Amino acid sequence: MATRFRLRSIDWRFVLGLATVLSFCIPLLATPRAFSADVKTLEKTVNNELRQGQRQMFSGKIDQAIEHLAAARKAMDELAAADPANSRFKSLENKYKKLAKDLERRAPESAPQAISAAAKAQKPDKDGKLPGGLVRRLEGLDRSFAQLDEQFEELAQDPRDALFDFMGNALSGAENEMTSVLKYYAEEVGADHPEIASRKEKLNAYRARYDEAAAARSAQADAEAAKKGDLTRKAKALGEKVQNLYDAHYAKFEGIYGQNILYQYATDAAEKVKAKIDAVEKAAIPEIKPVLAEIEALFGDSAMAVDNALHAIDFPPADRFGNRFEDLKRSVENTAKTRKAAAQWIVTQAKTQGDAVGAKTHSAMLAIAHALDPDNAAVADMLKQTESAVAAGGDSLEGIFFSKSPIDPEDPQNLTTQFAAGDPIYCLIRSRKSFEDIFKKDWIRIDVAIDGKKIHAQFVKLHNADDRAGKTLLFEIAPKPEDMTGYSDPDIEYGTSKPNLRQGAQEMTHHLSRLDPGDHKVDMSIQYYGNTYAEGSFTISGDGFGYYADLNKKAGEAMTGAVTLPRAKMKNPGLEKEMTDLLKNAGWDPVLRLNIVDMDWWIDRVAGGNSAEKSRHIAAAALSRDGNGYFYKKATFHKDRLITGGYGPLYISHTGDRIEIREENIDK
């Protein structure tokens, strides 16, 4: 009874549930061991059958080898059914296919069909799943496609060659991968499998897109090459032009650096500056500017930009012309800057000089400034004011004036600035300030230029204190012989440019006699430390100027008639006797008179400054006579410094040129 009661108490729903669970779990626990054992056995069977078939084939027993091949095929089919995802199946299948091909090559003619039938691989049913190796390759292709998409987008923003080449390599890699897929899996899953076919189609689209881009890049490269060739030809032509312009004109800009180059408030100096600027603007700049504009349009506006552009087209470094381009460009720019700077300097000086310079000088200078910079309003205003002052009579008696007849300083008449060859020329100087106030010495200096070229300055020594304190001087240029008084006037003394060429009429007619046929301009001025106190000019024209050569001879005779032995500036009878004895010993016979013409000894030093004394010297003029008449020469005498501190004996170190003296002047 007890037993029966317990049986009736059992919950049958629990029993049925437990049975269900056990029926599900027991196969799971048992199957892996059995499945694993069957798979291993099948793998060994396939391997054994393939090895036996290979041995039989090598032994020449083809029929037996075919039987082992068929047995291997059967075991492989069972293996594929038992384990569709078997990792060794692919390797076994490759061994199988190799043995089948070897047998076909070795089998008799009656055997191929049997071998082929035995060798047909049964595609394992993997529930529609692709082989793992194929899946991995397709996934690799997808990654390549994603990379290509990114590279195409990057290429649109940065079309550099390196990126395009990298894309080409990536695309070739993807194509190689597709070739491998078809090689190893087309027979197994079919070349038209959707997973393979879709990627083939996508790969072909990438290839078409890449080839299209390559064609566009090739066309662009061809266009750039053509452009490069055109630029190279133009660069070569422009380089030659720049070099020719540089050689022809660059030196003409010397001194024009974009700043003021006028440093004297004088019309002749200002005219020279203006002429220099006008010359380059007329002869050089019109040729230079079009070439500079063409270079700027093609290559850039600086030396660096031009040379970088030339480098980009592989233009030879030795032929690059950036520096010459910039030199010419700056020269052109500096010319305009210098023109304005010089005009502004004249304005500043006109304000600074004030009444120290007359209205005529201001007017002449401002007229030049206005020609230099017509847009300068200050120049225009000041010029208008000075012109009004001149018109009102200011400066009417100041300047350098000329006439064809002797001029009365108190009442100058018949003044002119136009002369013909053969006309006598007289000159009156009226200074703004006294000569003594200007030069602070007993002489005055007159600057002279013929056709813009300076000749030796003309010096006139004024022995009379009233003349030095005055503002007026008659200066002889080319007077008639009977009017020449300058060389005989005891109150004035013309300077000497050469031993036998006295300044004044003799030197002026010397230069006039050498003029070529045509028109010539003579400028004269009194200037000192940048200030102009009187100035004037005249023009002389003619087919020949021989008249002035004859006049020059008469001026020389007049000068000779006025020559006397230079005045003594030191009296030392003992030294004079020593000098006379030395001259006589040197062949001077006789020595009629001797004047020491230096005020004291000159000290000669070893290296200038306060260095050690080397010697001392002094000059004297000695009068003598020979068969041609009376003359004098200047001689220099030296004494060398001795170690003891004293001086050595006196000796002659230099003898000057012969100067003729008329007999009536030997005692003057």
Side-chain angles (χ1 to χ4, degrees), residues 537-554:
S537 62
F538 66 88
T539 300
I540 184 167
S541 307
D543 296 329
F545 296 86
Y547 166 80
Y548 299 104
D550 294 335
L551 193 57
N552 176 256
K553 292 179 182 179
K554 292 181 173 60

Side-chain angles (χ1 to χ4, degrees), residues 225-236:
K227 180 179 178 182
K228 179 179 176 181
D230 182 56
L231 283 176
T232 300
R233 287 189 294 273
K234 290 179 178 178
K236 184 177 180 181

Side-chain angles (χ1 to χ4, degrees), residues 307-445:
D307 282 346
N308 286 343
L310 294 174
H311 172 74
I313 61 173
D314 299 324
F315 202 69
D319 296 333
R320 293 173 192 169
F321 46 83
N323 287 333
R324 290 183 290 281
F325 159 79
E326 189 156 302
D327 285 342
L328 290 174
K329 181 181 179 183
R330 286 182 178 176
S331 296
V332 171
E333 293 172 346
N334 286 342
T335 301
K337 292 178 181 178
T338 296
R339 176 180 281 278
K340 289 181 176 295
Q344 188 57 44
W345 184 86
I346 292 175
V347 170
T348 303
Q349 289 298 310
K351 294 177 180 178
T352 303
Q353 299 282 354
D355 294 337
V357 177
K360 280 188 177 179
T361 300
H362 282 319
S363 180
M365 290 297 291
L366 289 166
I368 296 172
H370 184 66
L372 286 169
D373 187 5
D375 297 328
N376 190 318
V379 171
D381 290 342
M382 293 184 71
L383 177 59
K384 186 176 180 180
Q385 295 173 13
T386 55
E387 286 176 342
S388 298
V390 171
D395 270 1
S396 59
L397 297 179
E398 296 167 354
I400 300 179
F401 307 95
F402 309 94
S403 176
K404 298 177 184 179
S405 58
I407 304 174
D408 181 357
E410 300 300 326
D411 184 22
Q413 299 291 326
N414 302 318
L415 302 179
T416 184
T417 58
Q418 301 294 322
F419 293 87
D423 287 339
I425 305 172
Y426 299 83
C427 174
L428 170 65
I429 298 174
R430 284 184 176 276
S431 174
R432 178 167 307 286
K433 297 176 69 175
S434 72
F435 300 128
E436 193 171 45
D437 287 341
I438 297 171
F439 296 102
K440 311 297 183 185
K441 296 179 181 179
D442 61 356
W443 51 259
I444 69 171
R445 187 190 75 204

